[in-house]
Amino acid sequence: METTHRPAARVICLDAANRLLLLHWRDPFDGTWLWEPPGGGIESGETPLVTARRERAEETGLDPAAVLDRSVLDALVPDGPWCDRA
């Protein structure tokens, strides 16, 4: 099966006590429970910054303006077990 790469953005949210916000959700493909930061796929025409702001607001209700341009890092993450899923 061919691997499909999907560009995505994740948001590292820390509060004043440096606690990390993670979302707990069930993977729809295999039912595994996962903890991960808010985020999701970059839609056509979006920049990583726009995606990070949108996902922060959609998934947490937190102010998207808190994601600053200078805090966006463009990086490739190695393939994980979620690859090869249609």
Side-chain angles (χ1 to χ4, degrees):
M1 180 177 280
E2 184 177 330
T3 299
T4 301
H5 295 278
R6 179 178 178 227
R10 293 278 166 206
V11 182
I12 304 302
C13 301
L14 300 174
D15 68 7
N18 281 328
R19 292 177 297 181
L20 176 65
L21 174 64
L22 295 174
L23 304 177
H24 195 212
W25 63 280
R26 186 180 296 264
D27 185 310
F29 294 100
D30 66 11
T32 302
W33 281 97
L34 303 169
W35 288 97
E36 65 182 17
I42 298 174
E43 296 179 2
S44 178
E46 278 188 332
T47 64
L49 174 61
V50 169
T51 301
R53 287 177 172 164
R54 176 178 53 78
E55 291 291 345
R56 177 180 161 106
E58 286 178 3
E59 295 187 359
T60 70
L62 296 172
D63 181 6
V67 180
L68 305 176
D69 185 43
R70 68 173 188 257
S71 52
V72 174
L73 172 67
D74 189 8
L76 294 176
V77 177
D79 293 343
W82 55 87
C83 294
D84 298 330
R85 294 183 179 167

